[in-house]
């Protein structure tokens, strides 16, 4: 799957996040675990696959000083 195909999706996996935004799974885990201003994600059940809503992540990046 290429970047343009990933950009068209509403929800992406952690691997697709890395391809699209260039941040590792460790970076994602760190940002998801923050108490304040954490990276938006969801899981259907504990231990299930982590997914990101692309629109929510784009807004999160716009509102944060994190360098991309």
């Amino acid at each position: 799957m290429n970047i343009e195909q990933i950009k068209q999706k509403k929800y992406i996996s952690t691997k697709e996040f890395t391809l699209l935004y260039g941040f590792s799974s460790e970076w994602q885990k760190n940002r998801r675990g923050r108490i304040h201003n954490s990276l938006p994600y969801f899981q259907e059940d504990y231990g299930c696959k982590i997914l990101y809503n692309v629109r929510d992540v784009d807004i999160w990046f716009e509102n944060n000083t994190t360098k991309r």
Side-chain angles (χ1 to χ4, degrees):
M1 184 168 285
N2 66 40
I3 300 296
E4 290 306 315
Q5 290 173 315
I6 295 170
K7 285 180 180 179
Q8 299 302 317
K9 296 175 81 174
K10 183 174 181 176
Y11 300 103
I12 58 173
S13 68
T14 55
K15 289 180 182 181
E16 292 168 329
F17 185 103
T18 299
L19 291 172
L20 187 59
Y21 298 105
F23 292 106
S24 70
S25 58
E26 271 306 307
W27 183 93
Q28 296 169 48
K29 182 178 178 181
N30 177 280
R31 296 316 186 279
R32 289 190 311 262
R34 288 180 170 180
I35 293 173
H36 300 289
N37 204 24
S38 61
L39 181 62
Y41 74 99
F42 70 92
Q43 285 179 292
E44 290 182 5
D45 280 320
Y46 179 78
C48 288
K49 186 176 184 176
I50 292 172
L51 294 174
Y52 299 99
N53 180 311
V54 175
R55 183 172 178 268
D56 291 346
V57 171
D58 287 341
I59 291 168
W60 185 85
F61 275 120
E62 287 175 12
N63 292 323
N64 288 279
T65 58
T66 304
K67 301 285 185 230
R68 298 205 306 175

